[in-house]
Amino acid sequence: MLSEVKCFLEEYNVREKLRYCNSRNKNLWNIRKEAGNKNLIGINSDYLNQNNKVNMRKLGEIYELCGEYDINSREIFGIGHANIVDKYGSEYQKKLIMPSIASGNLLVGIGLTEKSCGSDLNKINCSVKKTKDGYIINGEKSFVSRIDEADYFLVFTRSIEKKYSKNNLSCFLVKMDSEGIEKYNYNPMGLQGWSYGGFKLKNVHVKENALIGKDCEAFEYFLDHFSHWRILMTLLTLGNAKYNIKEAIKYSSERKSSRKYLYEHQSVLHKISENTTKIKLAKEFCLLQLERYDRGKSIHKESAMAKWFGTETSYNAINDCMQIFGARGYCEEYNIENHLKNARGFMIADGSNDTLKSYIGNELIKDYLKKEVYNAKKL
């Protein structure tokens, strides 16, 4: 599968096309459609490939390879956020969207973040109320990707009759041309392959068959999906950092300063060796966790570790590459500035690194206190 993906990336000149991509020129969208024609999108779908599904570790290797071409290559391959439908959706929902997802003609976005609470799911204000023939959704989702391209969004809501709680979250498959939806756009400094913005939902009516899984159980879907999604995005950034290090090595072996090749300067050599080591360690940790996920292990805490460490490692590596290139690196010629902006975005997206560090710390404290209580009971 890796060889097929690499051939596709080379055949369609993905690195060059994504260098100048934005949501307006639709370069990424068109590349994804070509991947659909090659049957390279539905590769990790249970519904579409029950007997020949690519596992998460292999998908992680694919995403790392994609990152070597461009971070904006996210969701060229694989079903993306539609994985929630593939795993928890009804037969009706799968038939409705999965074939079109696999062909590259349809995209699903995810609506979690809100202006008032960021990604804190316990504080979501987007509300849902049960009616005789379905549900009514009101609220707003902000700072979300694929706002113009996605035909459907997975909208996370809380019941208007219940308290704020992680046990009060439901997820709905909402068609984005539904009456009462108003979309708007932001202009991010990086990650411009897909559009970026938000949408308001005013008395949006959805049928009962729009509910994903069971009512008030969406927090578990979120935990499961993002435990591997964060790692996939991290591997994208690590692949891109790896590519930039290769370019820095090449440049440092051609460029001279003070009658020496750049690599002969210890400061340059240390940047290359330190960053290469960290990239390798982060990659292996990511793949290990995806392997554990494939075996049915819980990796919520470990995926948070992988994401904050991996994305910071990638950003710092690309930043050091820019320093090695000097003034040239600060210009568009070598595209390092674009890679740096893209990598920076993933230190915020899909759970900011500071939030994830707090989560990890809290989980470690909980584990310690549980052991203390257990030991006290034994005494």
Side-chain angles (χ1 to χ4, degrees):
M1 181 57 70
L2 271 178
S3 60
E4 289 180 56
V5 168
K6 187 173 180 62
C7 286
F8 178 92
L9 294 168
E10 291 291 337
E11 179 183 351
Y12 288 94
N13 197 19
V14 169
R15 182 177 290 122
E16 191 64 20
K17 287 180 179 177
L18 293 187
R19 178 173 184 169
Y20 302 105
C21 83
N22 56 57
S23 60
R24 294 179 298 279
N25 64 32
K26 297 186 180 299
N27 282 0
L28 181 54
W29 182 247
N30 292 331
I31 293 170
R32 180 176 167 81
K33 285 185 176 181
E34 292 296 338
N37 292 334
K38 298 283 188 179
N39 297 318
L40 291 172
I41 294 179
I43 54 176
N44 63 317
S45 166
D46 273 322
Y47 180 72
L48 299 169
N49 286 297
Q50 289 182 353
N51 300 320
N52 196 29
K53 174 189 171 185
V54 169
N55 63 27
M56 279 300 163
R57 182 193 164 93
K58 181 59 68 176
L59 192 63
E61 293 173 353
I62 290 171
Y63 269 62
E64 194 244 353
L65 174 62
C66 288
E68 292 188 43
Y69 288 78
D70 199 284
I71 291 178
N72 270 311
S73 61
R74 57 183 173 147
E75 263 186 280
I76 290 178
F77 310 106
I79 58 177
H81 293 310
N83 184 72
I84 293 177
V85 178
D86 193 67
K87 190 166 186 177
Y88 299 104
S90 66
E91 186 69 16
Y92 163 78
Q93 291 163 348
K94 293 173 185 177
K95 285 183 178 179
L96 178 67
I97 70 166
M98 295 310 297
S100 294
I101 290 282
S103 68
N105 291 309
L106 190 145
L107 199 64
V108 171
I110 192 163
L112 288 164
T113 309
E114 298 181 6
K115 288 181 179 178
S116 60
C117 62
S119 299
D120 184 357
L121 295 187
N122 292 321
K123 301 290 178 63
I124 275 182
N125 287 309
C126 190
S127 64
V128 62
K129 185 176 181 180
K130 187 77 172 70
T131 64
K132 289 182 179 180
D133 58 345
Y135 300 87
I136 296 293
I137 302 175
N138 281 284
E140 183 176 359
K141 298 296 179 180
S142 299
F143 308 109
V144 294
S145 186
R146 310 161 191 83
I147 194 70
D148 292 328
E149 297 85 2
D151 291 278
Y152 290 88
F153 256 79
L154 293 163
V155 178
F156 282 70
T157 68
R158 66 172 182 86
S159 172
I160 199 168
E161 291 95 358
K162 298 179 182 179
K163 295 180 180 179
Y164 288 92
S165 167
K166 67 181 182 182
N167 298 319
N168 180 22
L169 287 175
S170 298
C171 180
F172 293 88
L173 185 64
V174 178
K175 205 165 190 314
M176 290 304 286
D177 61 0
S178 299
E179 185 177 352
I181 292 181
E182 178 187 344
K183 297 190 287 187
Y184 54 88
N185 292 86
Y186 295 127
N187 185 28
M189 70 178 194
L191 295 174
Q192 295 196 6
W194 300 123
S195 56
Y196 189 63
F199 56 94
K200 298 177 181 178
L201 305 102
K202 186 175 181 181
N203 295 321
V204 175
H205 177 265
V206 296
K207 295 181 179 180
E208 287 189 1
N209 58 18
L211 176 67
I212 301 290
K214 296 181 180 179
D215 198 18
C216 296
E217 293 190 5
F219 186 71
E220 293 304 317
Y221 311 158
F222 161 79
L223 283 180
D224 175 61
H225 178 65
F226 276 89
S227 64
H228 60 76
W229 182 256
R230 284 170 175 154
I231 294 179
L232 294 178
M233 296 303 102
T234 300
L235 284 164
L236 265 180
T237 69
L238 289 168
N240 196 248
K242 177 181 172 182
Y243 168 78
N244 279 277
I245 289 290
K246 287 180 181 178
E247 291 297 296
I249 291 172
K250 179 183 176 184
Y251 180 75
S252 68
S253 66
E254 297 170 347
R255 176 91 161 87
K256 284 187 176 182
S257 175
S258 301
R259 299 181 180 179
K260 290 182 179 181
Y261 287 106
L262 290 184
Y263 71 81
E264 295 181 277
H265 294 275
Q266 196 174 61
S267 60
V268 171
L269 209 56
H270 283 192
K271 283 182 174 66
I272 290 170
S273 60
E274 288 174 8
N275 284 302
T276 300
T277 302
K278 291 177 182 177
I279 291 167
K280 178 71 172 175
L281 289 171
K283 172 191 172 181
E284 293 303 320
F285 184 73
C286 285
L287 293 177
L288 174 63
Q289 299 315 315
L290 291 178
E291 191 175 299
R292 291 181 68 233
Y293 179 87
D294 286 328
R295 298 201 307 268
K297 303 292 184 181
S298 173
I299 60 167
H300 305 324
K301 180 172 61 184
E302 290 78 9
S303 71
M305 293 175 176
K307 199 265 185 181
W308 86 254
F309 181 73
T311 54
E312 286 193 14
T313 293
S314 300
Y315 178 81
N316 291 335
I318 298 170
N319 190 47
D320 279 346
C321 289
M322 178 178 284
Q323 194 69 25
I324 291 171
F325 275 84
R328 291 170 178 80
Y330 198 65
C331 301
E332 293 182 356
E333 179 184 358
Y334 292 92
N335 206 31
I336 301 173
E337 44 80 35
N338 194 33
H339 293 160
L340 192 66
K341 289 186 290 187
N342 291 338
R344 186 65 182 84
F346 278 116
M347 295 168 70
I348 300 170
D350 303 325
S352 74
N353 286 4
D354 289 328
T355 299
L356 295 180
K357 288 177 185 178
S358 294
Y359 168 74
I360 294 164
N362 286 328
E363 290 300 303
L364 292 171
I365 295 299
K366 284 180 188 176
D367 291 344
Y368 171 77
L369 293 177
K370 284 179 183 177
K371 289 178 182 178
E372 288 295 297
V373 171
Y374 175 76
N375 291 333
K377 286 181 177 179
K378 284 180 66 176
L379 296 173

